[in-house]
């Protein structure tokens, strides 16, 4: 069992995509991704740095663990990866689950509110 999710990072119209697989990330993915996007905001215009910063943020508490996350590449546009799949698209600056939402609006909607 688990709460599996795949984060697909797109930085061009065609070509391979980087995927971060999380075994336990599905339940809190919106909040976690919003905070990761906020963390990466200074480098979202550079997809290589932005992708690395988002992945690092998402994995920060288990970076040295043997299990929990995997990173791999896919070469097609079919994102049926067997679990919930989220597209982080640097060509349109959007996050797509069922609908596409601009990075800034996604962060505003899902970041935790500190009181």
């Amino acid at each position: 069992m688990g709460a599996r999710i795949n984060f697909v990072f797109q930085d061009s119209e065609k070509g391979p995509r980087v995927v971060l697989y999380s075994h336990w990330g599905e339940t809190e993915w919106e909040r976690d991704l919003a905070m990761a996007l906020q963390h990466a905001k200074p480098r979202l215009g550079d997809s290589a740095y932005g992708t690395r910063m988002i992945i690092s943020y998402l994995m920060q508490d288990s970076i040295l663990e043997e299990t929990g996350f995997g990173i791999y590449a896919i070469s097609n546009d079919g994102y049926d990866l067997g679990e919930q799949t989220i597209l982080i698209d640097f060509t349109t600056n959007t996050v797509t689950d069922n609908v596409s939402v601009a990075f800034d609006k996604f962060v505003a909607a899902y970041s935790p509110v500190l009181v």
Side-chain angles (χ1 to χ4, degrees):
M1 301 225 23
R4 298 172 183 92
I5 190 167
N6 292 287
F7 296 97
V8 177
F9 295 85
Q10 179 173 321
D11 66 356
S12 65
E13 292 298 320
K14 296 185 185 247
R17 315 286 195 248
V18 172
V19 180
L20 174 67
Y21 163 80
S22 173
H23 191 79
W24 298 106
E26 183 184 27
T27 55
E28 298 289 327
W29 77 267
E30 293 101 335
R31 178 188 61 91
D32 294 344
L33 183 57
M35 292 187 312
L37 284 165
Q38 184 63 37
H39 169 73
K41 186 176 181 178
R43 297 309 292 262
L44 290 177
D46 182 336
S47 62
Y49 275 92
T51 297
R52 195 267 311 155
M53 290 177 74
I54 292 168
I55 289 173
S56 295
Y57 191 91
L58 292 171
M59 294 180 63
Q60 68 181 315
D61 293 330
S62 57
I63 195 78
L64 298 177
E65 300 298 323
E66 180 182 351
T67 60
F69 289 93
I71 300 173
Y72 62 98
I74 57 174
S75 60
N76 60 21
D77 291 335
Y79 300 125
D80 183 10
L81 302 176
E83 289 87 31
Q84 183 171 3
T85 301
I86 306 305
L87 177 64
I88 296 105
D89 189 339
F90 286 95
T91 66
T92 60
N93 294 323
T94 58
V95 173
T96 303
D97 180 13
N98 293 319
V99 296
S100 294
V101 178
F103 287 166
D104 59 338
K105 291 183 182 189
F106 189 88
V107 170
Y110 293 107
S111 288
V113 177
L114 302 175
V115 230

